[in-house]
Amino acid sequence: VVVVQNASVLELKKALRRHVQLRQARQGGVQHLSWRYIWRTYHLTFAGEKLADDRKKLREYGIRNRDEVSFIKKLRK
């Protein structure tokens, strides 16, 4: 997924959403995903740190080109 250098976490989430939707459309997969459910159930993480603040810039988390972020399931309270 490609985002600008000074992108925020929210912009990364939007880019992920666009990427998955385009991929699903090309492959003829599931027509609709509930992104509200996904963001409620999973955290985006980088190097073991949760990307919790949508307004924070990616570089503040130390994310650079070709770095990998992953989903981790939220724990119940």
Side-chain angles (χ1 to χ4, degrees):
V1 178
V2 178
V3 290
V4 293
Q5 287 288 56
N6 59 349
S8 66
V9 173
L10 183 62
E11 291 167 337
L12 174 63
K13 287 181 176 181
K14 287 179 182 178
L16 279 169
R17 181 179 179 168
R18 271 193 316 272
H19 173 75
V20 170
Q21 286 174 337
L22 284 171
R23 189 172 175 195
Q24 292 293 78
R26 286 187 197 125
Q27 294 179 350
V30 177
Q31 293 298 317
H32 177 75
L33 290 174
S34 173
W35 287 96
R36 180 181 287 167
Y37 171 79
I38 292 171
W39 298 132
R40 220 179 32 221
T41 310
Y42 297 94
H43 283 294
L44 273 178
T45 60
F46 173 71
E49 185 178 0
K50 295 176 187 171
L51 307 182
D53 186 4
D54 283 348
R55 294 182 305 269
K56 221 171 170 184
K57 300 290 181 188
L58 295 178
R59 80 166 67 108
E60 293 177 42
Y61 286 107
I63 299 174
R64 295 200 162 98
N65 287 345
R66 300 199 180 274
D67 282 344
E68 268 187 37
V69 294
S70 57
F71 285 98
I72 185 170
K73 190 150 175 96
K74 291 182 180 181
L75 299 175
R76 289 188 181 174
K77 294 180 182 178

